[in-house]
Amino acid sequence: MRGRDIVLAIGGAAAAIWIEGARPAQAHAVLSESTPREAQIVFGPDLDVELRFNCRIDARRSRLLLISPDMHGTMLPLLEGGAADELRAGLHDLRRGAYRLHWQVLSVDGHITRGDISFRVGR
């Protein structure tokens, strides 16, 4: 290999590494922590909900739905000012029984993911 060929090979490899590194990260939002946790028993009429994901999400295009023991669904207003990877809401006047939180988030890479968290309110 001549000197010019070596320089071209090194330059090509460097360009390939630079182009690969410039691509945006591709990741779906995966729930990593939650309050309440799955199958948790909580107490009190009020509860703070916090869902944390493995990547940044677009909170303005994400949703939280609370399904009560009588199967009534209520869209929860999201609290602003949290971290870029979390959703927060406040639950009030909870009665005893089984609830389900249905979440839907849009990650910053444009993918939508959904899931459910079931929990119970005890005495």
Side-chain angles (χ1 to χ4, degrees), residues 81-113:
D85 62 349
E86 72 177 8
L87 289 181
R88 298 181 308 128
L91 302 180
H92 306 285
D93 301 323
L94 295 174
R95 294 172 283 135
R96 189 172 172 217
Y99 289 81
R100 186 165 49 107
L101 272 173
H102 178 76
W103 56 266
Q104 174 179 305
V105 296
L106 176 66
S107 65
V108 291
D109 69 353
H111 290 97
I112 294 174
T113 53

Side-chain angles (χ1 to χ4, degrees), residues 28-38 50-57 83-87 103 105 113-117:
H28 299 318
V30 175
L31 184 66
S32 57
E33 295 176 36
S34 70
T35 301
R37 296 183 313 274
E38 175 66 27
E50 294 181 12
L51 305 181
R52 185 169 295 268
F53 297 88
N54 67 331
C55 62
R56 292 181 8 195
I57 59 170
D85 62 349
E86 72 177 8
L87 289 181
W103 56 266
V105 296
T113 53
R114 300 174 182 90
D116 293 292
I117 299 168

Side-chain angles (χ1 to χ4, degrees), residues 8-99:
L8 288 174
I10 292 171
I17 291 169
W18 180 77
I19 290 170
E20 185 65 30
R23 290 183 180 173
Q26 299 292 316
H28 299 318
V30 175
L31 184 66
S32 57
E33 295 176 36
S34 70
T35 301
R37 296 183 313 274
E38 175 66 27
Q40 183 178 9
I41 298 174
V42 298
F43 301 96
D46 300 326
L47 176 68
D48 292 331
V49 172
E50 294 181 12
L51 305 181
R52 185 169 295 268
F53 297 88
N54 67 331
C55 62
R56 292 181 8 195
I57 59 170
D58 184 344
R60 292 176 302 150
R61 295 188 175 117
S62 299
R63 304 283 181 261
L64 267 179
L65 176 71
L66 178 68
I67 301 170
S68 63
D70 62 359
M71 303 305 288
H72 179 77
T74 303
M75 194 66 68
L76 299 175
L78 298 176
L79 299 176
E80 295 182 9
D85 62 349
E86 72 177 8
L87 289 181
R88 298 181 308 128
L91 302 180
H92 306 285
D93 301 323
L94 295 174
R95 294 172 283 135
R96 189 172 172 217
Y99 289 81

